[in-house]
């Protein structure tokens, strides 16, 4: 299950990369991190990047892969809980000038981040298995981090990502 969700997130990121190449003539995260001119495909690219970030960070409704990873051997699940989920945050941080151009990104990140944080925290409190408790805690933490991004608190979200990892 993890491969299907993270693979779908990766496919969305690759598609966004191809559209970025077509629209801007490059796909340099450094260039995207500085400034991005608006084009006709910018909303599509931003939507694909946000969806890829949400899938990678196990944000609801893409959270099932992270919960299912509790069944994996401990080193694998630890890698997923402390490392792999941070990939979505990196996508959001690196593409901020592009995604911040649109008024729909902040409310979407706030709503899904808050919902995921509450859901993950509630599920964490009712788990009896330690690995599932950690998994749900990670889901809540990623939701909180995406909520911070939606509120424009990117330095706090970056610190949160580093401390979580």
């Amino acid at each position: 299950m993890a491969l299907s969700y993270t693979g779908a997130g990766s496919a969305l990121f690759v598609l966004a990369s191809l559209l970025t190449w077509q629209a801007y003539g490059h796909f340099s995260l450094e260039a995207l991190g500085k400034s991005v001119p608006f084009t006709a495909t910018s909303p599509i690219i931003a939507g694909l990047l946000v969806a890829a970030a949400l899938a990678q960070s196990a944000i609801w409704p893409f959270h099932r892969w992270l919960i299912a990873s509790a069944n994996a051997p401990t080193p694998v699940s630890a890698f997923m809980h402390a490392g792999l989920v941070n990939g979505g945050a990196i996508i959001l941080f690196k593409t901020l000038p592009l995604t911040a151009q649109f008024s729909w990104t902040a409310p979407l990140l706030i709503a899904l981040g808050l919902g995921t944080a509450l859901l993950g925290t509630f599920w964490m409190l009712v788990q009896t298995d330690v690995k599932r408790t950690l998994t749900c805690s990670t889901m809540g933490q990623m939701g909180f981090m995406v909520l911070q991004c939606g509120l424009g608190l990117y330095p706090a979200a970056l610190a949160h990502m580093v401390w979580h990892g």
Side-chain angles (χ1 to χ4, degrees), residues 16-61:
S17 301
L18 293 173
L19 288 174
T20 302
W21 181 268
Q22 179 188 20
Y24 304 117
H26 66 81
F27 187 77
S28 165
L29 286 176
E30 183 178 347
L32 285 177
K34 292 181 180 172
S35 67
V36 180
F38 186 82
T39 66
T41 57
S42 293
I44 298 167
I45 295 168
L48 290 170
L49 289 170
V50 168
L54 296 176
Q56 187 72 32
S57 290
I59 302 301
W60 184 90

Side-chain angles (χ1 to χ4, degrees), residues 57-136:
S57 290
I59 302 301
W60 184 90
F62 307 105
H63 65 287
R64 292 182 53 199
W65 73 265
L66 184 61
I67 293 172
S69 73
N71 298 329
T74 301
V76 174
S77 65
F79 172 71
M80 290 179 176
H81 298 183
L84 195 59
V85 295
N86 290 331
I90 293 168
I91 293 171
L92 287 175
F93 298 145
K94 290 292 198 175
T95 61
L96 173 63
L98 175 64
T99 58
Q101 290 181 8
F102 304 99
S103 61
W104 55 265
T105 55
L108 178 70
L109 294 176
I110 290 170
L112 292 179
L114 179 62
T116 303
L118 293 173
L119 194 63
T121 302
F122 174 74
W123 283 350
M124 177 191 69
L125 295 173
V126 298
Q127 295 301 318
T128 56
D129 178 63
V130 173
K131 284 176 74 174
R132 287 210 183 269
T133 301
L134 286 172
T135 302
C136 293

Side-chain angles (χ1 to χ4, degrees), residues 59 92 106 109-115 117 141-153 157:
I59 302 301
L92 287 175
L109 294 176
I110 290 170
L112 292 179
L114 179 62
Q141 293 299 311
M142 291 298 105
F144 185 61
M145 186 196 56
V146 168
L147 172 64
Q148 289 171 318
C149 290
L151 292 172
L153 303 172

